Amino acid sequence: MRENIVLESMPSDIILEQAKELYDLDNFVFIRKMENIVYSAMQQKQKVYVRFTSPLRRARHEIRSELDWMQFLFKYGFSVPRIIKNKYLEPSTTLIHQAEKFEVCVFNEVIGQHPTHTQMMDANFLQRIGALIAKMHEATLHYIPEVSDFYREQWYEERGIRHAIAAKSRTSDLEMREKFEEMVLLLSSCSRNHENYGLIHSDIGRENILLEKNMLSVIDFDDSCFHWHVFDIAIVVYFLSLKNQQIMSSEMLDDCVVNLVTGYRSVRYLPDEEVELIPHFIIFAFLRLYFWIEDHQFLDTFHEKVKVNVEELKQKARDCVVFYS
C-alpha cells in the first residue's frame, strides 16, 4: 500500500507560459514524461527541446552541474546539445506557481539519426563509440566546475540507485534482491583513482547517439554521475542486449565488449583488470533497471500507455541477469 507519496503533475498552462516568455518559445508539443517532462518547441523558427524537472527528481545544483559539464564538452569540441540560456542569460530557470516548482532547461536540436541496431552491432561502429567515450573521459580529466557548488552524485547516490534501493527493500523477488546486494558490495570494493573514476555520461545507448554523415553526437546527459569509466562501456553493451529481440549470447556480448575496448584503447590506456569488471557492471545495470521499474510501478508514475511495455522490459532485465550471472 502506498502512503504519503507525492508525485509531480504535468506543468500547468501558467508554468508553460512562463517558460515561453523567458525563452521566447511557441508551439509546445509534449514528448514524454518519465524522470523529466519533455516538450519540443520552436524558438525563432528553430526546433528546441524543453525539459521540466521537479525537485522531487533532482536538486537545482545537480542540474546546473550537468549543464556546466555539457558546456565544457561543447567548448572542447564534442557534438553535444547546446544549452540555450533564458533572457537573463542563465542556463536554467526555476519556475514556481502555487504548489508547482520546476527547473527548466532548453537545448537545441542536434541534427542526425539514431543508428540502427544493426549499425550498433557493427564492429567498426562499436570501435568508434569506444574511441568517443575514451575522448570524453580524457577531456573530463581536465574539467573544473565553473562553480564549486555544482556537483553530481557518486554512483551510489544517483537517482537510479535510490529507486532501486527503495524497491529492493520491499520486493518479493528474493533472488534478485540477493543478486543486487552482492553486486553493490562488489562495486563498493573496487579501487578508485583519477584515471579510472570520474564524471561519465552513464547512459550511452542507441537512443542517445545521433549519426550525421561522419559525425557522432551524444545527447541526454541527465544520468551523468561519478562512476568507473568502464561503466560507460558496460552501458553500451547493456543497451545492445536489452534492445535485442532475444537475449544476446555470451559470445556476442564478449565481442561487443572487445570492440568497444579496442576503440577505447586506441585513445587512452585501459588496464585488463578494469576490462574484467565490465561483465559485472552489465549485470549491475540490469539489476538497477529491474528495481528502478519496480519502484516506479509502486509509485505509479508510468503513463498508462507504456505500462505493458514497461512490464515486458522488467522481465527482460530479469532474464538477462539470470542468463549472464
Side-chain angles (χ1 to χ4, degrees), residues 128-146:
R128 286 184 63 190
I129 294 173
L132 177 60
I133 291 171
K135 289 174 185 175
M136 290 174 64
H137 293 169
E138 191 69 25
T140 302
L141 294 177
H142 309 289
Y143 168 63
I144 300 174
E146 185 176 320

Side-chain angles (χ1 to χ4, degrees), residues 181-271:
E181 290 172 344
E182 289 174 354
M183 201 57 62
V184 169
L185 282 175
L186 185 147
L187 266 67
S188 300
S189 68
C190 293
S191 63
R192 299 189 302 187
N193 58 61
H194 183 62
E195 292 295 326
N196 75 355
Y197 186 93
L199 189 55
I200 69 168
H201 185 283
S202 83
D203 198 27
I204 298 178
R206 188 181 72 84
E207 289 83 359
N208 289 335
I209 297 172
L210 291 170
L211 179 62
E212 174 66 10
K213 296 181 180 178
N214 203 38
M215 173 68 73
L216 277 181
S217 303
V218 180
I219 61 174
D220 194 354
F221 285 72
D222 182 50
D223 286 331
S224 58
C225 66
F226 284 88
H227 217 305
W228 285 269
H229 289 154
V230 291
F231 190 69
D232 261 347
I233 296 174
I235 281 294
V236 178
V237 184
Y238 150 83
F239 274 119
L240 287 173
S241 183
L242 188 67
K243 301 300 183 181
N244 209 45
Q245 276 194 324
Q246 297 180 345
I247 297 176
M248 286 167 44
S249 68
S250 297
E251 291 75 18
M252 291 176 65
L253 205 76
D254 290 344
D255 285 345
C256 292
V257 171
V258 167
N259 287 315
L260 286 161
V261 169
T262 298
Y264 193 98
R265 282 175 166 167
S266 71
V267 174
R268 72 188 301 256
Y269 175 66
L270 186 62

Side-chain angles (χ1 to χ4, degrees), residues 1 8 17 22 67 85 90-91 105 124 126-127 130 159 162 180 183 188 207 217 225 230 235 249 259 276 283 298 319:
M1 179 68 68
E8 77 278 11
E17 285 299 323
L22 281 166
L67 302 181
K85 296 182 179 181
E90 297 171 333
C105 311
N124 291 330
L126 284 173
Q127 289 175 26
R159 188 173 55 195
R162 296 200 302 267
F180 180 77
M183 201 57 62
S188 300
E207 289 83 359
S217 303
C225 66
V230 291
I235 281 294
S249 68
N259 287 315
E276 291 169 2
I283 295 171
F298 176 78
D319 292 343

